[in-house]
Amino acid sequence: MKPVTFEAYQLLRDGLVEFSGMEANGICVDVERLTANIQEVEGRVKQLTAQIRQTDVWRLWLKIYGGKANMGSRPQLARILFKELGFKGEQNHDTNRYILDEATLANIDHPFCKMFLEIERWKKLHGTFLLGLQREVCDGYLHSFFNLHIARTYRSSSDSINFQNIPIRDQEVGAYIRSCFIPRGKDRVLVELDYSGVEVLVAACYHKDPTMIQYIENPGKDMHRDMAAQCYKLKPKQVTKQLRYCGKNMFVFPEFYGSYYAQCAVNLWNALDSMSLTLEDGTRVKDHLAAKGVTKLGSVSDYKPEPGTFMDHLKDVEDDFWGRRFQVYGRWREDWFESYLKNGGFNTLTGFRIDGIYGRNDVINYPIQGSAFHCLLWSFIQISRQLRRRKMDALLVGQIHDSILADVHVSCVQDYLILAKEIMVDRLMEHWKWIIVNLKIEAEVTPVGGSWHDKKKVDDIYKFAL
DNA sequence: TACTTCGGCGCC
DNA sequence: AAAGGGCGCCGAAGTA
């Protein structure tokens, strides 16, 4: 850990103090609800397990493994699927073990795999989240740790339990665990404030790419939509919400983090079937691509994609992405890495030094990830101090990289929202002159008597009313 | 029994 | 030339 400016040292020191306060505050847990949810999920796991034991595959499993047969063992299941039932499986090149992750199982067309994934989904909720929380909760409160001395990027981490990976994407699973987090009183609510797209904004502060800045500053422009259009050979207007999601999470972000066209192509191509991608008028995107002359995924050999395939197309999209559209960003990545090779390290915009042996992707990603978190950290410190100074009935209870969770009395929700916005956007931009794009935040508030799962977006914090 | 390693997966 | 960044936790399986 090496803050190279006094200010960077102060940021960690003050952050440590405020995080300690937050840990002591803790977050209120509905213990009865937690117990009930554990019961319910255990019941579901038992029922699904009984069901899967009736299948032929499980009978085969028992025949081969006898008393050692373990429904939770993926290595055992891999043997059944790939050695006994003849499905094609990939192996880890170093260990020769079969890969049997969710994507692999989802692509095997067999009901047993679907059932297995369903059970795993609920077991993950049960073991990691519900029992984990029950183990750590004390007198109705959870006091997770929030560390500032762990991550190589100078981000934070959290443990006992990790408060930064509570399920939310899978709404059904998320509900079981998030409904256990509640405000510490009948007349209070939870308020969550997060920076929107802060890593993209902070990246722009490093590379200053004019095209990227236009995308950021112009609300009519949409990078993810445009890239989805290009990847699937569509007009931007044809891009549905689902297609935009694919552009964002299967091309744009992977490219930012250092993936490359061949990997993106596989994911975008598999999504055509697995997500049944269609246009507004019902046309299958796969058929649309076929009409444009692209009928095969294709592969790469001798560093060259097979001509005329989707793979080949994605190579063109990538070349265009870094070589033309975001060429300043692309050049920054090369220059930044060159400079690292020459100097053996680099400094972040927030005043930290990162020395040591790192790969290209690390060198490009660390400063962005770290500085983005430091925006949150600086705001967190200021908000926490102001709440004390103004004797407001609001406590900070959690932090998730780019968001702050507070437990607020109904009488001061609006004051809290306005104070926090002022600090997170206006004062932070005054404080760090290197922030050259406008920061934005989103607010979510739970109903009175609701849980973290019930949080709802606030349209306009200045017109907020409970 | 206690500990470590690995694969996998939850979040940003 | 290489090819997805950061964490923490779980269960399985191997080792001492």
Side-chain angles (χ1 to χ4, degrees), chain A residues 2 46 103 205 260 304 328 369 391:
Chain A
K2 197 152 68 172
K46 271 190 193 137
C205 299
Y260 78 125
K304 280 210 160 98
V328 176
Q369 187 181 104
K391 300 193 192 311

Side-chain angles (χ1 to χ4, degrees), chain A residues 14 39 49 63 128 134 195 219 232 252 255 271 322 338 391 402 442 464:
Chain A
D14 297 342
Q39 284 296 313
T49 304
K63 205 165 115 193
T128 302
Q134 188 176 57
Y195 283 113
Y232 288 126
V252 177
E255 286 284 346
W322 292 115
E338 279 296 310
K391 300 193 192 311
D402 64 357
E442 284 185 5
F464 178 77

Side-chain angles (χ1 to χ4, degrees), chain A residues 18 379-389 396:
Chain A
E18 297 307 331
S379 298
F380 187 100
I381 294 163
Q382 306 304 320
I383 293 171
S384 193
R385 288 175 171 171
Q386 286 298 323
L387 293 178
R388 274 200 302 278
R389 207 159 293 165
L396 302 189

Side-chain angles (χ1 to χ4, degrees), chain A residues 40-253:
Chain A
E40 200 177 322
V41 172
E42 277 176 0
R44 194 185 283 253
V45 170
K46 271 190 193 137
Q47 186 224 323
L48 288 166
T49 304
Q51 218 172 305
I52 205 169
R53 282 178 194 281
Q54 303 302 313
T55 61
D56 289 341
V57 174
W58 177 245
R59 277 189 273 276
L60 175 64
W61 195 328
L62 279 175
K63 205 165 115 193
I64 288 163
Y65 282 97
K68 290 194 171 139
N70 181 346
M71 183 72 77
S73 169
R74 287 178 193 244
Q76 289 184 11
L77 177 55
R79 177 177 162 188
I80 306 287
L81 291 171
F82 302 132
K83 291 247 201 279
E84 310 295 332
L85 297 177
F87 290 103
K88 286 264 180 290
E90 284 183 30
Q91 282 154 290
N92 180 313
H93 289 295
D94 300 325
T95 61
N96 276 341
R97 296 177 191 191
Y98 280 110
I99 297 165
L100 199 65
D101 55 16
E102 192 186 336
T104 307
L105 283 161
N107 280 327
I108 296 173
D109 189 19
H110 194 293
F112 189 89
C113 296
K114 309 265 174 296
M115 294 172 77
F116 180 84
L117 280 176
E118 181 68 1
I119 293 182
E120 288 296 296
R121 177 172 167 241
W122 295 106
K123 288 209 308 205
K124 176 86 177 170
L125 168 66
H126 178 255
T128 302
F129 298 105
L130 294 173
L131 292 189
L133 177 57
Q134 188 176 57
R135 189 178 56 241
E136 294 295 336
V137 73
C138 182
D139 296 335
Y141 285 83
L142 168 72
H143 303 270
S144 289
F145 295 105
F146 292 91
N147 314 296
L148 286 171
H149 64 294
I150 302 277
R152 300 206 290 191
T153 57
Y154 295 96
R155 234 196 193 184
S156 66
S157 78
S158 168
D159 64 83
S160 310
I161 63 174
N162 180 353
F163 192 71
Q164 297 177 321
N165 75 341
I166 313 284
I168 187 166
R169 281 192 210 161
D170 182 331
Q171 293 245 357
E172 200 183 2
V173 164
Y176 277 100
I177 182 69
R178 287 187 177 241
S179 62
C180 299
F181 295 101
I182 56 172
R184 61 214 305 121
K186 290 264 174 282
D187 45 5
R188 304 179 70 91
V189 295
L190 296 176
V191 180
E192 191 168 349
L193 293 164
D194 64 282
Y195 283 113
S196 351
V198 67
E199 285 202 15
V200 172
L201 303 193
V202 168
C205 299
Y206 279 91
H207 59 64
K208 304 185 176 73
D209 185 296
T211 308
M212 182 66 74
I213 291 171
Q214 278 182 33
Y215 269 115
I216 291 166
E217 298 292 342
N218 186 338
K221 300 196 73 171
D222 183 342
M223 153 173 71
H224 302 306
R225 178 199 61 192
D226 290 355
M227 291 320 300
Q230 203 176 347
C231 289
Y232 288 126
K233 290 179 172 273
L234 296 162
K235 296 199 173 71
K237 272 189 188 168
Q238 295 177 283
V239 174
T240 62
K241 206 171 167 188
Q242 198 180 32
L243 288 164
R244 182 183 182 279
Y245 173 91
C246 294
K248 175 179 173 180
N249 296 302
M250 298 174 191
F251 185 80
V252 177
F253 280 140

Side-chain angles (χ1 to χ4, degrees), chain A residues 21-38:
Chain A
M22 165 170 64
E23 291 165 1
N25 292 340
I27 181 162
C28 190
V29 172
D30 184 340
V31 179
E32 285 179 20
R33 180 72 184 256
L34 176 58
T35 310
N37 287 358
I38 287 171

Side-chain angles (χ1 to χ4, degrees), chain A residues 278-315:
Chain A
T278 48
L279 302 182
E280 223 48 90
D281 64 8
T283 312
R284 289 171 44 198
V285 178
K286 205 169 198 174
D287 294 337
H288 166 82
L289 282 169
K292 294 266 176 187
V294 177
T295 56
K296 286 197 325 199
L297 167 59
S299 59
V300 182
S301 65
D302 282 337
Y303 303 104
K304 280 210 160 98
E306 204 179 329
T309 61
F310 190 65
M311 189 73 65
D312 190 35
H313 168 57
L314 257 286
K315 167 130 174 51

Side-chain angles (χ1 to χ4, degrees), chain A residues 2-4 8 11-12 154 346-348 350-354 374:
Chain A
K2 197 152 68 172
V4 292
L11 184 70
L12 292 190
Y154 295 96
F346 51 88
N347 290 357
T348 71
T350 46
F352 293 86
R353 178 77 187 169
I354 298 178
H374 291 153

